[in-house]
Each structure stands twice: as structure tokens, then as C-alpha cells.
Amino acid sequence: MSEIVGRPRRNSIELVGAKAGTAMPAEMRQALNLRGLVPASVEDFTKQEMRAFQQLMSKPSSLEKYEFLANLRCINVNLFFRLVMNHFKEIAPIIYTPTVGEACLNYSHIYPFIYPGHMSVGLFITLGDVDNVDLVIQNYRESMTEHNDPEITVITDGSRILGLGDLGINGMAIPIGKLQLYVAAAGLNPARTLPIVLDFGTNSKKYQNDPLYLGTRQPRPDDETFYNATGKVLSALYRAFPDILVQFEDFSTDHAFGLLDQWRNKALCFNDDIQGTGSVILAGFISAVEQAGIAPTDQRILFVGAGSAGVGVAKQLVEYMMLEYDISEEQAKAMFWFVDSRGMITANRGDTLAAHKVYFARHDNDDTQCTSLEDALEYVKPTALIGLSTIYKAFNENILSRMNELNPHGRPIIFPLSNPESKAECTFEEAMRCTNNRVLFASGTAFPEYTIPETGEVRVPAQGNNMYVFPSIGLGAALCKPSRITDTMIYAVSKALANSLDNKERARGELYPRIERIRDVSARLTAAFITQAVHEGNVRDQHWVHIVEANMPEGVDTKTVSGLFTKRVLGEVKALMWEPASSVEQYMFEAITFENPDEI
């Protein structure tokens, strides 16, 4: 990319020194005339991280921890990501779910205080900007201190944030948090990530009437205006950054499906709510079915909640059943039932179904209509109960106990996937108690471990968090540059995630790898993604084609989606994952080399 003429940039040595903080060497302090202006002690990165973690843990509330980390991210990105990666289990729930939900609710009120010294943390694009969006992108480029085009953007309009509803511009915390996980979990370069919120208004009277709300105080546009405006933004992004991956996030259900249908076959994009959620739950379901004691094709799966996430998950499970067990689409689809706010979804229910619900509407119910979850439970007699309803305690003790009674010869599969915790259908403890500890459980939000009173055995709940899969999809796309992301590439990621359980995790009956292994797991999933993309002839970077094809074992059926990969591909992926500098010397060399490559 050619040098952009615009605002003057700070001297690179000064930038490096400022970002090194208390680890700035004495010689650099002298060169920057800082002698006597800062404490004399020169620290290493270990002490910086120790101090930062102590300060983080001293904050009394999760929101204050979030604010501390947001500040740190702006002040010292290298320290921020060292902290996140070395304490991932503790920090991931702060920078993303569940705490990010609280941050969204308060975003307009805390925004000025969590980004010190930053002109912008991403793009805030209004309807009035869309006809000049090229200028907005140019402004973004000129504002960056590093000359990096973004490899990935997470874009939302804030219309359906988690289970919290229409939050408007306050939804910006979601793209920011998600991109931090792309970096920490999979090693994308933080300087090449771009969060975007489409500030097209909000239908929330609360925010329209909030004097401190930072977004546009007007109702959301009609569909024609929405799609026209969004199309202009996306077209401009692809013009400016031809290789960029666009991840759609937290759009209203109809718009989520509409955007994906419009763009998935002509540009590099995916929707994490639909495809990412489906992928991670498929992986957990594969692991659960192996332990359930009921044949996979005999499963009867009842979904509670029929939004974009629920339908997206179910469609990926249908695809899995067809590919893995060689059954027809109709046979696979017949294994699924849905309950929404009006009861079981049937073709003859008497109401007009939303377009995305029609696929799973039952035609075999005769005159039977179930108006409640309890009725549907007795009618379907499910082996698996999956919740994406955002209804707190939808799986009450009666529902959970009945699931246990309905499955005497197999273990019930219960996945309450709504988040944050205030929207979860049940807790791990409730599911364990009501099923005599037999449940195969995965949730969308984190729950504490449960100790079985009679035995003292400690059980760890599985969390079907999208962070297992979307970072590897992002890294895979950034590395091999596919022309588009196919369902089978995402399916390969699911298979690889199910395959990534180690022997100890399998012995404990766990459904997902321990989150502490997220970096290694992401590398494996990325290798599977790239390998599948090569098999499909869907890779523009020929480097990866050569590596995959040259190291493919004999006899491998490249037409089968296996989620497998070679050690060579995995090693190449790991070598290209970004990591924060581990020492002052490494940080200074890398930063100055990047800023002034001709001077080194």
C-alpha cells in the first residue's frame, strides 16, 4: 500500500518508547529527554504483567475490570495481549461474554473514559455517511499509527445484541471484544483488525430518550434503505481492502439471514451467530452423541428458540447427519422440532411463519398443536433439548426432570445456549441435580463447576462458546485467502474441534477442550480449515496449495470432510500466528523494524 499523505505521524522511536512504558530502556529515555520525568526503575515485561494483573483483580466489579482492560488496550497493546493470553480463562469472560453485555448496556456512558488518547477505536457509520463512506475509510487509514490494511472486520448494527435486544451504537463493544479474541485465541495481528458499527438508528425508546446516548436518535430504516446502505458500506470495504474477511455480528434475525444470503457467494464473509454458533454446537453434539448411548440417527432434537442462531445450528446438524450417516435431507430434517413463542412450529399452526422458520415447520403433526414447551416435550419425547430462546429458566426443574425420565436408556443432552447468564435457560447445577448427574451439558455462558454431594466428584460444565471456532475461521481466511467460506469448510472446523479433545478430556467425558488450550486448539482448527479449502479448490494463496498437496498421505479421500490435517500444515499455521513480544528487546526490534524497515 502506498504511503498516505495526511496527518503527521509521531516519530517511530517515540512511539516505541511510549508503548514500552516502564520497560523503556535508559538509553531511550535519555534520547527522548525523559531523564528525571519518569520513575528511574527499568522493569521487564514480567513485572509489568504482574502489576497489571494485580490491579485487574483488585477491581470490585466485572464492569470495572472491563474498563481497566479497555484502558490498558489503548495504552499498551503488547501488555494487554500478554495479560489476556497468559490469563485467558480469567479474562475472556471480561472482554467478552458475559461482561461485554454489561459493557454494551453502559457503553455510551463509559465510552469517553475507556479509550484514553484514542481518536477512534473503529468505524461508526451513520446513514448520512454511506454516500461518502470512501472518505470515512480514508479517514480511518490516516488515523492509524501503523501502515496496516485490516485483514478482518466484525460489523454490527447493534439491533440484536446477545439476548439484550436493540442497543444501537452501544453494540460496538461486541465487535471490539470479538476481535480481541481473534487475536488472543488464534493469533491474528491486532493492528489488522477493524471493528465497525452501523449507526442506523435504534427502535429503543430508552436510548432515543437517553441524553447521554452517543448514537443516532432516530428509528431504524425500512428494509430497502437498510440493504441499500449496508450494500454501499460493504462494497466500499471490499474496494479498499480486497482480501478482507467480513464477519456479520448481532444483526436482527431477518437481516442476519438476508445479508448472509446476499453476500456469501460473492465475497469473503460469514455470520458467526448463524454459522459460528452452528459449528461449535455441532462439535459439542458430536462429542455428546458418542457418550449418549443412543444411536445418532435415533436422536430426537427439540430446539427452544427459532431465531437466526437456533435455525443456523439446526441446519448445520442436518448437514452433519446427511454427510456423516448417508441419509437424505428429509430424513435428517425429520429429527428436528422447534418451539417458539407461540409453541411448536408446524405448517398448519394458523399464523404466517417468518421465512427462516419455514424449513423446519412440521408437516406430520396432523391436528396436534403444542402451545407450550411442556406440551411439546410430551409430544416429541426428545433425547436432546437445545435452548437459544434467551428466556431465563425456560428449562425449569420440571422440564429437566422430565428429560431425565424420558431417557432411561440413554443420557439426556441438554444445551442451554442463550447468554449472558441472565438469559440462560438453566444452570449446570440445576441440570445435574434434576437428571441424577446423567446430563450431557453444554451452555452458552460460563457456569461454575459442580460437586456431586454423594461422591465428592467434581464435574466441569462444557461451554459451547463460539470463541472455539470463529478465531480459526478468521485466521484461516487471512492466511489462505479463500474466495468464499463454504459450509463444508466450517463443517471441517467442527470435526476438528470434536477431534481436538485430548485423552484426559475424553476420559472425563468432556465435550470441549479445556479453554486453557484455546491457542493450540485454534491452530488445529485453522489447519483443518485451510486443508478443506485446498481440497475444494477455494484457495487463492498457492503457498498453501503446495503445502497441503505435497504432504497429503496416500489414500486420503479429499472428497470427504474429515477435519484432518498434516503436521506440516499445523506447523506452518503456528509459525504465522501473531504473539505479543516476550521481552523489551524483541518488542523494540519488531516495532522499529516494522516502522522503518530500510533502516535496519
Side-chain angles (χ1 to χ4, degrees), residues 331-595:
Q331 287 174 305
K333 192 167 64 169
M335 298 168 59
F336 295 82
W337 289 259
F338 271 82
V339 170
D340 65 8
S341 59
R342 296 189 178 185
M344 188 171 70
I345 296 177
T346 65
N348 62 350
R349 193 168 67 175
D351 60 330
T352 301
L353 296 176
H356 68 278
K357 297 181 182 182
V358 172
Y359 180 82
F360 284 106
R362 301 297 299 200
H363 293 263
D364 58 354
N365 58 301
D366 297 324
D367 294 326
T368 301
Q369 303 295 339
C370 301
T371 59
S372 67
L373 174 55
E374 290 79 4
D375 291 343
L377 205 69
E378 296 304 323
Y379 176 75
V380 176
K381 294 180 171 52
T383 58
L385 183 63
I386 299 179
L388 282 154
S389 66
T390 70
I391 299 174
Y392 183 61
K393 303 292 187 183
F395 300 168
N396 58 43
E397 293 194 0
N398 291 335
I399 296 290
L400 295 170
S401 298
R402 186 58 180 147
M403 276 294 294
N404 190 49
E405 294 167 358
L406 289 169
N407 293 279
H409 304 299
R411 297 175 64 185
I413 298 171
I414 299 175
F415 285 10
L417 300 176
S418 296
N419 57 51
E421 185 177 348
S422 61
K423 303 290 184 179
E425 287 82 6
C426 71
T427 68
F428 181 50
E429 178 183 355
E430 290 163 348
M432 289 289 286
R433 283 193 294 101
C434 294
T435 62
N436 296 325
N437 310 313
R438 300 173 62 242
V439 67
L440 291 162
F441 179 95
S443 59
T445 194
F447 286 112
E449 298 172 345
Y450 177 73
T451 302
I452 300 174
E454 295 79 7
T455 65
E457 180 185 355
V458 177
R459 296 276 185 88
V460 178
Q463 185 183 4
N465 196 308
N466 293 22
M467 75 173 74
Y468 278 113
V469 298
F470 68 73
S472 58
I473 295 172
L475 180 60
L479 293 180
C480 75
K481 296 177 173 54
S483 57
R484 62 191 184 94
I485 293 177
T486 65
D487 288 340
T488 41
M489 288 159 63
I490 294 177
Y491 177 43
V493 169
S494 299
K495 293 289 290 287
L497 178 54
N499 293 339
S500 68
L501 289 161
D502 63 26
N503 291 334
K504 290 182 179 179
E505 290 160 345
R506 292 183 189 280
R508 290 191 294 258
E510 296 178 7
L511 304 185
Y512 294 102
R514 292 293 175 99
I515 202 67
E516 294 88 344
R517 296 203 299 117
I518 188 70
R519 190 90 171 178
D520 178 67
V521 170
S522 292
R524 293 174 178 274
L525 272 56
T526 301
F529 177 94
I530 292 173
T531 300
Q532 182 62 32
V534 170
H535 291 338
E536 296 179 17
N538 187 23
V539 171
R540 287 178 287 169
D541 188 335
Q542 294 303 303
H543 169 74
W544 291 101
V545 176
H546 172 73
I547 290 176
V548 170
E549 292 182 347
N551 293 275
M552 187 58 58
E554 291 185 11
V556 172
D557 183 3
T558 59
K559 295 181 180 179
T560 300
V561 183
S562 66
L564 301 178
F565 48 86
T566 64
K567 290 183 179 179
R568 173 67 194 281
V569 175
L570 177 61
E572 189 82 1
V573 167
K574 288 185 174 181
L576 294 171
M577 294 169 74
W578 180 89
E579 292 186 5
S582 58
S583 68
V584 179
E585 293 76 17
Q586 178 191 356
Y587 174 72
M588 290 178 58
F589 177 79
E590 290 178 353
I592 295 175
T593 300
F594 179 82
E595 288 288 334

Side-chain angles (χ1 to χ4, degrees), residues 31 42 88 98 114 142 186 214 235 241 259 271 273 278 291 311 314 328 339-340 376 395 437 439 512 523 543 552 562:
V42 177
F88 193 84
I114 58 177
E142 292 187 12
L214 290 171
S235 295
F241 314 117
L259 287 171
N271 183 300
D273 301 308
Q291 305 176 45
V311 172
S328 70
V339 170
D340 65 8
F395 300 168
N437 310 313
V439 67
Y512 294 102
H543 169 74
M552 187 58 58
S562 66

Side-chain angles (χ1 to χ4, degrees), residues 277-291:
T277 301
S279 178
V280 75
I281 301 311
L282 171 56
F285 188 79
I286 292 171
S287 299
V289 166
E290 290 177 355
Q291 305 176 45

